[in-house]
Amino acid sequence: MTPFLDVRGLKKYFPVRTGAFGSETRVVKAVDDVTFTVRRQETFALVGESGCGKSTLGRTLLRLVEPTAGTAALDGTELTALGTEALRRMRMRMQMIFQDPYASLNPRMRVGDIIAEPLATHKVGGRGKEREARVLELMRVVGLRPDALRRYPHEFSGGQRQRIGIARALALNPEFIVCDEPLSALDVSIQAQVLNLLGDLREAFHLTYLFITHDLSVVRHFAQRVGVMFLGRLVEAGPAEALFTAPRHPYTRFLMAAVPVPDPRRRDRERLLLQGDIPSPIDLPSGCRFRTRCPFASERCAREDPPGTVDGERTWACHFPLA
């Protein structure tokens, strides 16, 4: 089956000036040789600690930042090769829900104008009453009352603002949406509501999600497949249930062990603590990037960067994978 999203060797490097008076230029490898696929109408979750490159990867896929190397194809169309006008047309098929609902909405625009902005930009959805009807329908779909149409973002709670952002992302009837940590800025009591809304919208509109998060507690039951990132690299990927029940990469195992459980009295809980600190992205260790924190690391891990291993639907990059 041809994948809906096919990412091959994607890289995004940022030059950084270091040394006295910025005399030396070094490179931060925010996304470094990442390869994965996403099937049509599935949710692929991208997880990892803050700073591992998840959000940069999502933005690079949508060409909000330009890739350094590699390719990304959506439904057979090579995104990294599109010119300005072709990319503009392609944006109708792919949208983004941003992490911060406070910063991603223009405070000087009314809610109706915010949701209608993509329609106006791409000159679709009619005009006047016809466009207003489309906006009201989008508001209804995401659970906003009609009287929100002429109000401003500051008059809404965080959860309501995120619903506004979701309505804006749906305006052009996209097929692919990058959800960049859409729950992290919300109260815990609101997160479940927004997550259920995203799930309902996926079913109703046959959407495909790249769901970026650092909260593994929401991933297991929301995503069909999961990719785990560490310092710009995808260290493991596969079906969600398989990763949670039998992780192959040590880093995945530590992430799973860190997920909070409702009952603190559980004695069957595996207790694992990572050693050391996360290496600097400007000065990466030789060989495996995780070796300085890995309790299973050997001299081979310092000498050789582990190649990717493929076993059916699962991939991992480790010299000594877990059984």
Side-chain angles (χ1 to χ4, degrees):
M1 180 184 296
T2 303
F4 185 60
L5 176 68
D6 191 3
V7 180
R8 300 289 170 184
L10 194 65
K11 299 180 181 180
K12 179 56 186 178
Y13 296 171
F14 293 99
V16 177
R17 290 194 174 276
T18 61
F21 308 106
S23 57
E24 182 181 357
T25 300
R26 304 183 71 177
V27 171
V28 173
K29 298 180 178 180
V31 178
D32 193 17
D33 198 19
V34 170
T35 296
F36 66 97
T37 60
V38 182
R39 302 185 184 97
R40 187 182 292 273
Q41 296 179 30
E42 91 168 342
T43 296
F44 185 94
L46 201 60
V47 303
E49 296 171 278
S50 297
C52 70
K54 308 184 300 295
S55 293
T56 301
L57 174 58
R59 290 170 180 267
T60 304
L61 288 177
L62 299 187
R63 295 274 302 275
L64 298 179
V65 295
E66 292 299 318
T68 302
T71 62
L74 184 69
D75 197 21
T77 300
E78 180 54 64
L79 301 176
T80 51
L82 294 178
T84 303
E85 185 56 35
L87 178 61
R88 182 177 178 276
R89 292 194 298 270
M90 193 66 183
R91 291 202 189 281
M92 296 182 66
R93 301 180 62 187
M94 54 184 192
Q95 290 291 309
M96 190 168 194
I97 300 169
F98 294 92
Q99 176 178 357
D100 188 351
Y102 296 88
S104 61
L105 303 179
N106 189 332
R108 295 178 177 84
M109 293 178 65
R110 299 179 189 271
V111 167
D113 295 329
I114 290 172
I115 298 174
E117 188 175 20
L119 303 173
T121 299
H122 290 273
K123 298 180 175 59
V124 297
R127 294 184 178 182
K129 293 296 183 181
E130 184 180 357
R131 182 169 294 174
E132 183 174 311
R134 169 63 176 160
V135 171
L136 287 170
E137 173 61 17
L138 289 165
M139 291 170 59
R140 183 194 64 79
V141 165
V142 300
L144 291 171
R145 294 168 56 89
D147 60 9
L149 187 70
R150 290 175 174 81
R151 294 163 64 188
Y152 290 92
H154 72 268
E155 300 178 59
F156 297 88
S157 67
Q160 290 172 321
R161 293 186 199 192
Q162 195 60 289
R163 290 173 186 268
I164 296 169
I166 294 171
R168 177 177 61 184
L170 292 174
L172 296 171
N173 293 316
E175 301 167 69
F176 174 61
I177 297 181
V178 174
C179 305
D180 184 13
E181 303 239 26
L183 310 178
S184 63
L186 306 179
D187 293 339
V188 175
S189 59
I190 304 300
Q191 289 181 2
Q193 297 177 22
V194 174
L195 191 67
N196 289 335
L197 172 63
L198 290 172
D200 292 342
L201 294 174
R202 180 184 62 197
E203 297 297 324
F205 298 105
H206 310 295
L207 299 171
T208 303
Y209 289 148
L210 178 66
F211 191 83
I212 298 169
T213 182
H214 64 270
D215 186 354
L216 274 76
S217 61
V218 306
V219 166
R220 187 170 189 170
H221 304 290
F222 185 71
Q224 286 75 54
R225 290 193 300 138
V226 179
V228 180
M229 284 191 73
F230 182 79
L231 283 179
R233 287 278 178 87
L234 196 67
V235 297
E236 186 170 3
E241 191 61 29
L243 259 72
F244 272 86
T245 55
R248 302 305 306 273
H249 196 282
Y251 179 60
T252 307
R253 182 181 176 188
F254 279 96
L255 283 183
M256 301 305 176
V259 177
V261 295
D263 187 356
R265 297 169 296 178
R266 277 183 50 181
R267 301 301 182 188
D268 60 338
R269 174 75 181 271
E270 186 178 29
R271 298 180 183 275
L272 298 172
L273 291 175
L274 281 174
Q275 60 190 30
D277 298 321
I278 300 176
S280 168
I282 301 178
D283 189 18
L284 295 170
S286 61
C288 176
R289 298 181 183 188
F290 185 60
R291 69 173 177 82
T292 59
R293 308 191 76 193
C294 181
F296 312 110
S298 70
E299 292 183 4
R300 182 185 179 189
C301 301
R303 292 193 314 267
E304 304 174 21
D305 194 3
T309 301
V310 180
D311 182 9
E313 290 191 317
R314 301 190 64 177
T315 62
W316 60 87
C318 183
H319 293 303
F320 307 104
L322 304 173

